[in-house]
Amino acid sequence: MTTLITARQMIWADVLRLRKKRGFIALVLAAVIAPIVIVTGYNVIQHASDPAAHAPAGGLHNYARLLDMLGVFMGPVAAVLIGAEAGAGDLAAGVFRDNVITGRSRLALFLARIPAALIVCLAVTGLGFAIGLAATFGFAGGLPTPNASLILESAAWLALANAVVCTIAIGVASLTGSRPGTIAGLIGWQLVLSPLLVQSSSLGSLRNGLLDGAVLFLKPGPVSGSPAITMSVAVAVLVLLVWLAVLPSLGAWRTRTRDA
Amino acid sequence: MQTVGLTKRFGERTAVDGVSLVVPRGAAYGFLGHNGAGKTTLIRMLLGLTRASAGSATVLGLPVPAQRAEALARVGAIVEEPSFYPHLTGRENLEIAAAVRGPETRSRIDQVLHRVGLDKRAGDRVGTYSLGMRQRLGVARCLLSDPELLILDEPMNGLDPGGMLEVRRMIRELVEEEGRTVFISSHLLDEVEKTCDVAAIIDGGRVIAQGSIEELVADRAGELVIECDDTERALSLLAGDPTIRNLRREHGGLRMSLVAREQAGEINSKLVTAGLVVTRLEPARRSLEERFLEMTTRLEVAA
């Protein structure tokens, strides 16, 4: 019982240190919300100025674009920022050593970072999704809108996509002990290298091992278009699990063995 | 706390070389040495932050690192300097520390903030704290678990005289009023002398002396200090005595080396018989600083 209470307190303590970093939270929110606001605003103005040439800013088509922004581009960027801060923030502040000398298990210290970061990450993603959803319905005009089932599937997919990236970022940050290195490396991978590799048909089935390929394959059907890589759901889930097992495990190992 | 032959090597370099210490319960123990002498490395081994290359250690009677978690649950420590999240308030930093320590420690936050005199600034961001306030907040974090043993690495570092006095008072209260054991590493000899009951001196990774402060500063060479109403006459009276060596003026009086301590009475008698009024006659008490420099210089010469 005491262990559970301690675990819960440690998680909320990590949430506290993340959410109270106001500049950082502002940056993360800006990364997620600003693109939605800018794109929607631009579309609203275009539609208002020439309704015949430009479709309304909401509706199903724009909803698909919202999912791309939140699940493939800016959502993962925010997830990387949050994961890097959660994974290496205590090292950067020098507090990791003080936590270790309490006698608390280093594995427990590492494990507390994951749910804490996910709480913040999913709250930010959820806020972005809520704003995007409001725009989808609010500016739909006469266009079709997503039904409840698609909204639920989309929410689940967004949570999965960003949670996976966030957890991986915690693992990499804990492994390297460097926030800037983790952020630069993972954003470079996520926004540049990985999309290029997904599109490189010459790599054949090797692309099945890419995180992006699996995430995009699991995107809800009605708004996914045709995925660049085809695979079974089982393979996609397996790919995600392997990514989730390897990098966080390395992070946990380094947290346990690091000289504090 | 006890160490036996504790050793730490970094490649070819030996940072701590077979250190054996016994830290008595309920005392302020000073661990004295130059910067780079091996003080922090020894503390890091005691706290399980780095592994020892050889030797063994027990903390509160429990072997470390084998029973590190149990031992450290009753220890509060600051290594190098206390670190905090600067964007959080003092209280929030303690809430985070309490969460790691365990559910029972949260209720002690107000008490320890009051104990270190930070209750009025607890709501301010730590980024706005002075170094002295951060040191006190570090001590507050140590006290959260109501520890039997506190390990403070250079607690006076960077403090102004007022801050040093505050920390010194706090340490004495922790020992005398609350019965805790406090282990302090420092290169500030004067502070260790004023704060601690017992000390060890480390140089080049090896302990070169340990004992009570009184023992460490005791005059083993039999030096005597005399003050009287006519220093010049006293000097001329004692100058020809073959049993007195190294006779010299010092701080308005005289200082000399004796062959045997019992000579002090004879010297007093000689001066009084000559009609001098002796106002002070006592064995010379060197400061810990003098003793430390004497020992470390002797070792350097020997090397």
Side-chain angles (χ1 to χ4, degrees), chain A residues 17 20 97 100 104 260, chain B residues 44 68 80 87 92 100:
Chain A
R17 81 170 163 93
K20 283 277 187 160
R97 176 197 294 148
V100 168
R104 180 69 55 206
Chain B
R44 287 164 58 85
R68 178 181 166 276
E80 288 172 312
H87 64 283
E92 287 166 344
V100 177

Side-chain angles (χ1 to χ4, degrees), chain B residues 143-204:
Chain B
L143 294 174
L144 274 176
S145 58
D146 196 14
E148 292 171 46
L149 168 67
L150 282 102
I151 298 177
L152 308 176
D153 188 13
E154 301 278 5
M156 313 286 184
N157 248 10
L159 297 182
D160 59 22
M164 284 186 182
L165 187 65
E166 270 180 42
V167 172
R168 194 193 310 151
R169 274 189 194 145
M170 197 193 305
I171 290 169
R172 288 312 313 173
E173 284 170 13
L174 291 169
V175 172
E176 288 165 13
E177 294 171 18
E178 300 174 22
R180 303 181 202 270
T181 306
V182 183
F183 181 93
I184 303 159
S185 88
S186 181
H187 66 279
L188 302 172
L189 300 111
D190 189 42
E191 283 308 318
V192 167
E193 189 172 359
K194 286 174 180 163
T195 312
C196 297
D197 310 300
V198 188
I201 298 176
I202 185 171
D203 190 50

Side-chain angles (χ1 to χ4, degrees), chain A residues 2 5-6 9-10 13 16-17 20-21 89-90 93-95 97-104 106 109 259-260, chain B residues 44 47-50 68-69 72-73 77 79-80 83-85 87-88 92 95-96 99-103 106 141:
Chain A
T2 307
I5 295 170
T6 304
Q9 285 191 346
M10 285 169 66
L16 174 74
R17 81 170 163 93
K20 283 277 187 160
K21 205 162 185 181
D90 54 358
V95 177
R97 176 197 294 148
D98 293 294
N99 288 340
V100 168
I101 60 183
T102 61
R104 180 69 55 206
R106 291 177 180 226
L109 294 174
D259 259 10
Chain B
R44 287 164 58 85
L47 296 173
L49 298 174
T50 188
R68 178 181 166 276
L72 295 189
V79 184
E80 288 172 312
S83 300
F84 300 98
Y85 297 111
H87 64 283
L88 298 181
E92 287 166 344
E95 282 172 10
I96 287 180
V100 177
R101 279 282 181 191
R106 197 180 168 87
R141 183 166 58 192

Side-chain angles (χ1 to χ4, degrees), chain A residues 108-190:
Chain A
L109 294 174
F110 172 80
L111 290 175
R113 296 168 181 168
I114 297 175
L118 291 181
I119 287 167
V120 176
C121 179
L122 295 181
V124 170
T125 307
L127 183 62
F129 186 56
I131 291 170
L133 207 55
T136 298
F137 282 92
F139 301 114
L143 295 177
T145 50
N147 58 26
S149 158
L150 179 58
I151 291 170
L152 285 177
E153 282 178 35
S154 308
W157 176 76
L158 282 178
L160 175 74
N162 289 329
V164 168
V165 173
C166 185
T167 308
I168 287 170
I170 295 167
V172 174
S174 301
L175 177 64
T176 62
S178 162
R179 282 178 302 183
T182 302
I183 291 167
L186 282 183
I187 288 180
W189 166 260
Q190 194 67 29

Side-chain angles (χ1 to χ4, degrees), chain A residues 22-244:
Chain A
R22 294 201 177 92
F24 163 75
I25 290 293
L27 176 71
V28 167
L29 286 173
V32 171
I33 295 167
I36 298 170
V37 172
I38 290 168
V39 170
T40 306
Y42 179 72
N43 290 341
V44 167
I45 292 167
Q46 275 196 319
H47 177 67
S49 61
D50 188 356
H54 300 286
L60 202 52
H61 172 71
N62 289 293
Y63 182 71
R65 194 159 49 196
L66 167 74
L67 292 191
D68 281 340
M69 273 196 282
L70 285 176
V72 183
F73 300 110
M74 300 320 287
V77 167
V80 167
L81 291 173
I82 294 165
E85 180 62 38
D90 54 358
L91 277 168
V95 177
F96 176 68
R97 176 197 294 148
D98 293 294
N99 288 340
V100 168
I101 60 183
T102 61
R104 180 69 55 206
S105 132
R106 291 177 180 226
L107 186 61
L109 294 174
F110 172 80
L111 290 175
R113 296 168 181 168
I114 297 175
L118 291 181
I119 287 167
V120 176
C121 179
L122 295 181
V124 170
T125 307
L127 183 62
F129 186 56
I131 291 170
L133 207 55
T136 298
F137 282 92
F139 301 114
L143 295 177
T145 50
N147 58 26
S149 158
L150 179 58
I151 291 170
L152 285 177
E153 282 178 35
S154 308
W157 176 76
L158 282 178
L160 175 74
N162 289 329
V164 168
V165 173
C166 185
T167 308
I168 287 170
I170 295 167
V172 174
S174 301
L175 177 64
T176 62
S178 162
R179 282 178 302 183
T182 302
I183 291 167
L186 282 183
I187 288 180
W189 166 260
Q190 194 67 29
L191 293 187
V192 182
L193 200 56
S194 183
L196 284 175
L197 292 174
V198 166
Q199 298 300 327
S200 302
S201 54
S202 58
L203 290 174
S205 59
L206 282 176
R207 293 182 300 164
N208 286 356
L210 292 170
L211 180 64
D212 257 9
V215 167
L216 285 171
F217 180 78
L218 293 173
K219 192 175 170 187
V223 286
S224 64
S226 53
I229 307 171
T230 52
M231 62 180 90
S232 68
V233 172
V235 169
V237 170
L238 186 65
V239 167
L240 292 183
L241 289 177
V242 168
W243 278 86
L244 279 175

Side-chain angles (χ1 to χ4, degrees), chain B residues 77-134:
Chain B
I78 300 174
V79 184
E80 288 172 312
E81 62 179 67
S83 300
F84 300 98
Y85 297 111
H87 64 283
L88 298 181
T89 66
R91 180 184 299 281
E92 287 166 344
N93 269 286
L94 292 190
E95 282 172 10
I96 287 180
V100 177
R101 279 282 181 191
E104 67 285 354
T105 52
R106 197 180 168 87
S107 61
R108 287 177 52 82
I109 290 176
D110 285 330
Q111 187 186 335
V112 297
L113 281 168
H114 180 70
R115 177 74 188 74
V116 300
L118 278 178
D119 33 1
K120 293 197 170 53
R121 294 290 306 274
D124 295 349
R125 287 172 54 235
V126 169
T128 66
Y129 280 17
S130 67
L131 182 59
M133 290 168 71
R134 287 205 299 275

